[in-house]
Amino acid sequence: MKKLAAGNWKMNGTAAALEEARALTAAHPAPACEMLLCPPATLIARMAEAARGTALMVGGQDCHAKPSGAHTGDLSAAMLRDAGASHVILGHSERRTDHAETDAQVRAKAEAAVAEGLVAIVCIGETEAERDAGQTLAVIGRQLDGSIPAGATAANLVIAYEPVWAIGTGRTPTLAEIGEVHSFLRDRLRGLIGDAADGVRLLYGGSVKPSNAAEIFAIPHVDGALVGGASLKAADFGGIVAALSAA
Ligand code: 13P
């Protein structure tokens, strides 16, 4: 399985930031892993244009479950694909919090994305209170069961495990804690989709940086990363791409 270094720019970046994507592709013309950036929707088409003929793929950060209609401010999966996206992040904890997205809504969005030929990157993760209460595996198991699309395969689904308390905080779980969750996810996914589960990329996300990437990528069942802050600068994200390529 080819590993995946995915960057989530969140609500950051205007046209000037496209220089970072250009610097990234110049520094990493042929990485051994897949390389994806998910900029704000306003930059998808321009980044896709800049990435043409390079190893960089471009994704969205959300899509609507419906193909079209009266949904002011929303974007359909077909619109993302039309703009040049190949992937879409769905159910990020910030969307689950800011927009009260439920597992059922995330699943509906993922099904819409997959129907349009996009790879759905479904995010799950426990809060700090849930971890402290010993509920981590119960929470992420429930999120996984409820959020993955019908017809999921290794080609159309990526799972990102992002503990909410590790996002943007500089804190990460221990390597053993990440390993425990990722092997749990692999087993649970086998129960849901059978042998195809072995090919689904399981990303870790939450305060991944060049300095901790190699040790995280050495954990069994960690098949890449979903990176926030450190994906905004080509040098930092490039360091993570290099670590994953070497893993
Ligand atoms: P940080 O890498 O900034 O912690 O963000 C992780 C994340 O939320 C990626 O989706």
Side-chain angles (χ1 to χ4, degrees):
M1 157 209 315
K2 214 162 182 193
K3 301 194 171 172
L4 172 62
N8 174 10
W9 279 13
K10 309 190 180 185
M11 198 173 72
N12 296 290
T14 53
L18 293 171
E19 279 314 313
E20 298 298 331
R22 291 194 187 93
L24 181 70
T25 56
H28 299 276
C33 63
E34 291 187 349
M35 191 165 72
L36 170 74
L37 283 177
C38 300
T42 48
L43 290 180
I44 291 173
R46 281 177 283 177
M47 187 180 284
E49 182 65 34
R52 192 179 307 220
T54 76
L56 179 64
M57 301 181 293
V58 181
Q61 299 176 10
D62 177 49
C63 72
H64 199 277
K66 296 265 168 58
S68 64
H71 302 288
T72 301
D74 280 313
L75 296 169
S76 72
M79 290 168 185
L80 294 179
R81 196 167 58 87
D82 181 55
S86 53
H87 293 63
V88 59
I89 297 168
L90 295 168
H92 190 280
S93 70
E94 288 148 20
R95 292 212 55 93
R96 291 177 184 264
T97 302
D98 294 355
H99 300 273
E101 288 190 7
T102 64
D103 290 336
Q105 286 168 327
V106 174
R107 162 176 280 160
K109 290 173 178 216
E111 290 176 350
V114 165
E116 274 301 327
L118 297 176
V119 177
I121 302 177
V122 172
C123 302
I124 57 180
E126 83 286 359
T127 63
E128 184 158 33
E130 288 163 343
R131 177 163 283 274
D132 289 347
Q135 294 169 350
T136 298
L137 298 183
V139 167
I140 62 167
R142 190 170 67 233
Q143 290 178 332
L144 184 78
D145 294 355
S147 305
I148 68 165
T153 67
N156 66 23
L157 177 68
V158 172
I159 303 293
Y161 167 56
E162 300 205 304
V164 177
W165 53 274
I167 295 175
T169 58
R171 297 165 58 208
T172 57
T174 65
L175 302 180
E177 286 167 340
I178 296 172
E180 178 191 30
V181 169
H182 278 243
S183 39
F184 169 82
L185 285 173
R186 185 77 69 201
D187 282 347
R188 187 97 169 193
L189 205 48
R190 275 194 201 113
L192 293 169
I193 65 171
D195 290 347
D198 292 338
V200 173
R201 269 81 59 86
L202 304 180
L203 311 184
Y204 168 76
S207 298
V208 178
K209 322 179 266 269
S211 58
N212 63 13
E215 60 183 17
I216 291 172
F217 296 148
I219 301 169
H221 301 295
V222 173
D223 310 311
L226 183 56
V227 184
S231 73
L232 294 169
K233 290 283 167 230
D236 290 341
F237 193 55
I240 292 166
V241 168
L244 188 57
S245 294

